[in-house]
Amino acid sequence: MTTLGIIGAGHIGTALAQAALAAGHDVVISNSRGPETLTELVSALEARPGRRGQVRADTAAGAAAAADLAVVTIPLKAVPHVPVEPLAGKVVIDTNNYYPQRDGQVAELDDESTTTAELLQAHLPTSRVVKAFNHIGAADITGDATPAGTPHRRALAVAGDDAAAKEQVVAFIDAIGFDTVDLGPLAEGWRIQRDTPGYGARLDAEGLRAATAAAKRYRDM
Ligand SMILES: NC(=O)c1ccc[n+]([C@@H]2O[C@H](COP(=O)([O-])OP(=O)(O)OC[C@H]3O[C@@H](n4cnc5c(N)ncnc54)[C@H](OP(=O)(O)O)[C@@H]3O)[C@@H](O)[C@H]2O)c1
């Protein structure tokens, strides 16, 4: 049994909690305002039919400390507030996207000298960041899940610099209902960023491979 430590209890954090609990993982979930603001969410998660794991709320640092596998799923502008020390050495999934109207302009993203996940990796230098779940709508995380072997099973992209970390994330994604397509290192995560062909599209592994291969940098669009 793995404990998923979730930093960010919004649309994606909640959907990942639902999926993880149904797959038999334990969940510790957090937001910016403190665990006392998550009582209703924890009750709703506990009440979901099919739940197999245990769930509780904590601070972001507490969720990070409890995590065997962590998720950072917050507005990009909040990344500097993610606790660093309790995530040291851990595998951290980055779901985040860059929306300048929400996050403000980020010069290194505007000039495409880095990517969103590399920004999180720079903030968490000893963690092993894996990009995943940034291109699926929150409701589809439970809505589109199917068992392994289902024809045309939906696939999700992963990118990361650490092969073992990526394997752990691929196993988690398979357990909650999706195939995966490996984009390579973290720097290749742009292939599934906002406005690329695979972003939000419901594709199987073959379709997602083709979509990410056809992706263009913003500067070439
Ligand atoms: N929505 C989607 O379908 C979707 C799909 C793919 C990827 N994404 C990306 O995934 C990320 C999360 O999206 P979302 O739609 O789930 O966001 P959301 O619904 O707006 O929720 C954001 C969550 O982050 C928490 N948060 C903010 N700052 C924090 C901090 N410093 N420490 C801990 N928690 C913090 C918020 O807590 P408080 O409320 O307490 O501030 C809130 O629970 C974004 O980067 C988004 O672009 C979203």
Side-chain angles (χ1 to χ4, degrees), residues 115-130:
T115 59
T116 50
E118 288 172 288
L119 284 180
L120 182 65
Q121 182 66 79
H123 177 69
L124 302 173
T126 66
S127 303
R128 294 173 288 155
V129 173
V130 177

Side-chain angles (χ1 to χ4, degrees), residues 98 100 104-114 194 218-219:
Y98 175 41
Q105 298 297 145
V106 179
E108 315 92 285
L109 294 175
D110 290 338
D111 69 14
E112 298 189 283
S113 58
T114 191
R194 174 177 51 77
Y218 294 137
R219 58 179 169 264

Side-chain angles (χ1 to χ4, degrees), residues 61-78:
D68 301 311
L69 175 63
V71 184
V72 172
T73 185
I74 60 179
L76 189 73
K77 65 179 176 201

Side-chain angles (χ1 to χ4, degrees), residues 9-12 31-33 73-74 95-97 102 134 136 138:
H11 296 94
I12 293 285
N31 63 5
S32 75
R33 287 165 293 146
T73 185
I74 60 179
T95 79
N96 304 323
N97 290 309
R102 176 192 67 191
N134 73 298
I136 179 170

